[in-house]
């Protein structure tokens, strides 16, 4: 990840949210990526703010490894977000080139970017894409309550 300021993360968060609100085709799959990146920027901004850091350069090496990732549930856990507001991140299933059904949360942005088709969770029957969008929307609701 590029090193960025907390202010850059906050601005990117707001830009992504604005794009989500103004889109004329709210069900478009490309918006899934915008939603993901809005949640990512919001969580990383709030983590830096909580630690009193102004940019990612000020992070320790262990913190960089834990926070500068696409594993958003891990960042949410580090922020100690109440589980009733943002539950544990769901499992995802997708039709991939290698036939590997389950994908890790940190890989979902790649799956969306490359047009991989999400499949229903075999244990619940719930559409994995819907699970992802619902979870990201909960993160965005929480971040909106924290970012002024």
């Amino acid at each position: 990840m590029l090193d960025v300021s907390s202010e850059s993360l906050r601005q990117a968060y707001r830009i992504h949210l604005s794009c989500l609100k103004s889109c004329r085709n709210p069900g478009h799959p490309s918006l899934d990526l915008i939603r993901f990146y809005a949640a990512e920027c919001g969580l990383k901004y709030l983590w830096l703010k909580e630690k009193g850091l102004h940019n990612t350069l000020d992070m320790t090496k262990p913190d960089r490894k834990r926070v500068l990732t696409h594993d958003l549930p891990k960042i949410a856990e580090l922020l100690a977000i109440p589980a009733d507001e943002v539950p544990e991140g769901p499992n995802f299933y997708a039709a991939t080139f290698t036939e590997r059904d389950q994908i890790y949360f940190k890989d979902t942005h790649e799956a969306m970017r490359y047009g991989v088709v999400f499949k229903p969770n075999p244990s619940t029957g719930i559409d994995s894409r819907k699970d992802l969008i619902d979870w990201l929307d909960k993160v965005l609701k929480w971040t909106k309550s924290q970012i002024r």
Side-chain angles (χ1 to χ4, degrees):
M1 179 178 159
L2 294 173
D3 284 302
V4 296
S5 69
S6 60
E7 185 56 30
S8 292
L9 285 168
R10 187 167 66 100
Q11 287 176 0
Y13 167 77
R14 288 185 170 151
I15 289 168
H16 296 322
L17 283 181
S18 176
C19 182
L20 284 173
K21 289 178 190 173
S22 65
C23 184
R24 295 171 198 237
N25 186 359
H28 196 282
S30 292
L31 287 181
D32 297 349
L33 273 172
I34 301 292
R35 184 177 277 107
F36 185 97
Y37 291 133
E40 178 183 9
C41 290
L43 290 171
K44 289 177 180 180
Y45 166 76
L46 289 168
W47 189 90
L48 285 172
K49 183 179 171 192
E50 180 180 279
K51 299 298 180 188
L53 301 176
H54 299 288
N55 60 64
T56 57
L57 279 171
D58 296 335
M59 298 170 76
T60 65
K61 194 170 185 174
D63 283 341
R64 290 177 70 81
K65 189 173 182 168
R66 290 186 319 190
V67 177
L68 301 183
T69 175
H70 292 291
D71 192 349
L72 304 188
K74 182 181 283 186
I75 302 169
E77 183 181 316
L78 292 171
L79 286 166
I81 301 172
D84 62 327
E85 293 184 57
V86 177
E88 186 176 312
N91 293 315
F92 302 101
Y93 297 86
T96 63
F97 179 72
T98 61
E99 300 296 324
R100 179 182 68 162
D101 283 343
Q102 187 167 2
I103 58 175
Y104 299 105
F105 195 102
K106 65 183 180 66
D107 298 327
T108 57
H109 76 287
E110 282 186 273
M112 291 182 288
R113 186 169 65 223
Y114 299 131
V116 171
V117 176
F118 285 85
K119 298 179 357 184
N121 180 324
S123 60
T124 65
I126 297 173
D127 179 11
S128 291
R129 180 182 173 272
K130 181 181 178 337
D131 272 353
L132 172 62
I133 299 309
D134 289 349
W135 190 86
L136 290 171
D137 284 343
K138 288 175 184 166
V139 170
L140 291 175
K141 181 179 178 182
W142 183 81
T143 56
K144 286 176 195 172
S145 74
Q146 303 298 308
I147 298 174
R148 309 279 179 232

